[in-house]
Amino acid sequence: MNIDWAALASVFGVSLVVTVALVGLFTLGIIGLSKQASTQASTAQGSTARAGGSGGAFTPVRAGAYLCFALCVAAVAYGIYLIVA
């Protein structure tokens, strides 16, 4: 039995980098949504409430969080495609 150690190391390295990247993207998405929630909570508890406030507005932080989640889904879908095809 002959093991191609270079190929094994390559697969290990790529899977390690992709795993860390996916966890990082997912973490950024969670942080983005939690920042949005904490901003809304602090605005709701503040003494000055605006009459047409942007409590549920679509902010760039929320868009970035959704982009991070979309990239995670795309990476997982691509991995499944590579396994199935």
Side-chain angles (χ1 to χ4, degrees):
M1 184 159 127
N2 188 12
I3 297 175
D4 187 3
W5 291 103
L8 182 64
S10 175
V11 168
F12 175 75
V14 169
S15 54
L16 181 67
V17 168
V18 169
T19 300
V20 169
L22 279 177
V23 169
L25 277 173
F26 194 79
T27 302
L28 286 175
I30 295 291
I31 289 172
L33 288 181
S34 68
K35 294 287 184 188
Q36 180 72 24
S38 66
T39 303
Q40 287 177 359
S42 65
T43 303
Q45 292 176 357
S47 60
T48 59
R50 288 184 269 169
S54 61
F58 192 76
T59 63
V61 175
R62 185 182 291 175
Y66 289 152
L67 178 65
C68 288
F69 292 138
L71 289 173
C72 286
V73 168
V76 169
Y78 182 66
I80 291 172
Y81 168 76
L82 287 177
I83 292 172
V84 172

